[in-house]
Amino acid sequence: MRVDSHQHYWHFDAARDAWIDDSMSALSRDFRPMDIAPDLRAAGIDAVIAVQADQSDAETDFLLDLAARHSSIRGVVGWIDLRAANLSEQLASRRGAQRLKGFRHIAEAEPDDFLMRADVRAGIVKVGDAGFTFDILIHARQLAAADDLVARCPGVQFVLDHGAKPPIASGDLSVWRRGIEAIARHSNVVCKISGLITEARWAAWQQDDIVPCLDTLASAFGPARLMFGSDWPVCLLAGEYARVVDLVETWGQRLTADERARVFGDTAVSVYRLEV
C-alpha cells in the first residue's frame, strides 16, 4: 500500500487560518479530499494521513468526520491540549476513534524551549501511554529541544514532520544537519520526508536543492525510518502534487526495492498502525 503520510484539509476561515498570509493566497480556499483524489490516483497513492492544521478539538472531530466519509483517509493526527488537567480522560474518550492514530501540536510557533517544559513533556508521555503517536512540528533551531524530549520519553513513538524544516533557501544546512544526526540516534523517532520544497525558493527550486537534505535524512535515520509525505495543499506554494511525488521517486531510485516500499508506505503503515 502506497501512503502519503501528510496531508491537510480545511474549510477556509480567514480569522481562524490567519497563518495563511498574503504570500500564501493560493491556500485561502477550501481543500477537500475530492480535490486531491485525481492526483492520488495518478500517483498510485492508496491511503493518506490527515494531519491537524488548527489547534482545537473541533479540528480533530472535523478530520475524523472526513475519515469516516472518505476511504482514502486511513489515519488522523489530531490535536489535544497537552496541558489540560483532564488530559487522561480526554485521551480515554478518544481511544474509540478507529482512525485516530496520534496527535500534534504546532510547536514551531511556540518558544524554542516549549518541548522541554515539564508540563508539555508530561502530556506527551500520557499521549504515548494511551497508545497514540506524537508528531513533532518544529523549525531546525528547535531540534535541540526535540532531542531532549525524545530522550526523556523513550516509550513514546515520535514522528518528525518535514525533516525539521531544513533552511534550504539559505543554503546553510550545518546546524540542521547536526541536529538531525543527534535526534536520529533515538530509535523511537521516525521522520517524514515532507514539506521540503516550501523550505526552498518557491518559484526557483530544483531537484539538486532538495537532494542533499534527502541524503542527510536517509543517512541519519536509514530508509526504514523515513516516510513519504506531500504536505498537500501547502506544497502547492512551491509545486504541484505530481512534482512532489516525482522528487522523492526520482531520488528513491538509489534505494533498494524494499527500502522504497518502506518510504512509500510500509513505515507509515507500521508507525500509524494502518489497516491494509
Side-chain angles (χ1 to χ4, degrees):
M1 185 164 71
R2 279 167 60 92
V3 180
D4 182 338
S5 69
H6 203 99
Q7 292 193 356
H8 302 291
Y9 307 103
W10 58 71
H11 295 304
F12 180 69
D13 181 299
R16 182 197 63 192
D17 303 322
W19 62 275
I20 300 177
D21 59 27
D22 291 343
S23 69
M24 302 179 181
S25 59
L27 304 182
S28 58
R29 64 177 180 87
D30 294 354
F31 288 94
R32 306 160 300 171
M34 59 279 286
D35 298 323
I36 188 63
D39 290 315
L40 296 181
R41 288 193 295 269
I45 300 295
D46 305 297
V48 304
I49 305 295
V51 180
Q52 64 87 217
D54 181 58
Q55 312 262 75
S56 69
D57 293 324
E59 172 81 343
T60 306
D61 293 333
F62 167 68
L63 295 177
L64 288 172
D65 178 65
L66 287 180
R69 294 186 287 113
H70 297 274
S71 60
S72 63
I73 303 175
R74 301 292 181 89
V76 166
V77 175
W79 181 86
I80 200 164
D81 185 353
L82 298 169
R83 292 171 286 188
N86 66 338
L87 176 59
S88 295
E89 290 77 9
Q90 289 189 49
L91 288 165
S93 70
R94 288 291 193 185
R95 291 181 72 176
Q98 184 180 16
R99 295 194 178 180
L100 182 60
K101 305 301 181 179
F103 294 96
R104 185 177 82 155
H105 187 93
I106 303 177
E108 66 173 0
E110 301 284 0
D112 288 353
D113 68 344
F114 177 78
L115 294 176
M116 301 174 69
R117 296 177 181 178
D119 55 350
V120 172
R121 187 168 65 242
I124 292 172
V125 168
K126 290 180 180 179
V127 166
D129 287 346
F132 295 107
T133 61
F134 187 80
D135 273 45
I136 301 174
L137 175 62
I138 54 172
H139 291 291
R141 68 177 184 272
Q142 297 166 304
L143 272 165
D147 182 57
D148 180 80
L149 170 70
V150 300
R152 293 173 181 269
C153 305
V156 181
Q157 175 64 69
F158 291 98
V159 181
L160 183 62
D161 289 351
H162 310 328
K165 296 196 166 185
I168 299 170
S170 77
D172 183 3
L173 300 176
S174 56
V175 173
W176 170 80
R177 188 173 287 115
R178 288 194 298 271
I180 287 295
E181 290 169 351
I183 199 169
R185 296 188 185 108
H186 302 285
S187 60
N188 58 327
V189 187
V190 298
C191 181
K192 291 180 181 178
I193 46 178
S194 59
L196 298 180
I197 66 172
T198 47
E199 298 307 311
R201 294 170 298 163
W202 291 355
W205 69 271
Q206 300 294 325
Q207 184 102 359
D208 289 346
D209 298 323
I210 314 298
V211 165
C213 297
L214 295 172
D215 288 344
T216 294
L217 294 171
S219 176
F221 286 95
R225 291 165 60 202
L226 298 179
M227 60 176 78
F228 165 75
S230 66
D231 196 27
W232 183 89
V234 181
C235 69
L236 298 177
L237 296 170
E240 295 297 322
Y241 188 83
R243 194 177 180 198
V244 177
V245 175
D246 181 70
L247 166 69
V248 181
E249 286 188 330
T250 300
W251 168 80
Q253 291 307 306
R254 69 189 64 191
L255 307 178
T256 67
D258 178 68
E259 289 170 341
R260 287 195 298 273
R262 289 176 179 271
V263 169
F264 273 98
D266 292 352
T267 300
V269 168
S270 174
V271 169
Y272 285 123
R273 308 174 313 281
L274 305 184
E275 294 182 0
V276 296

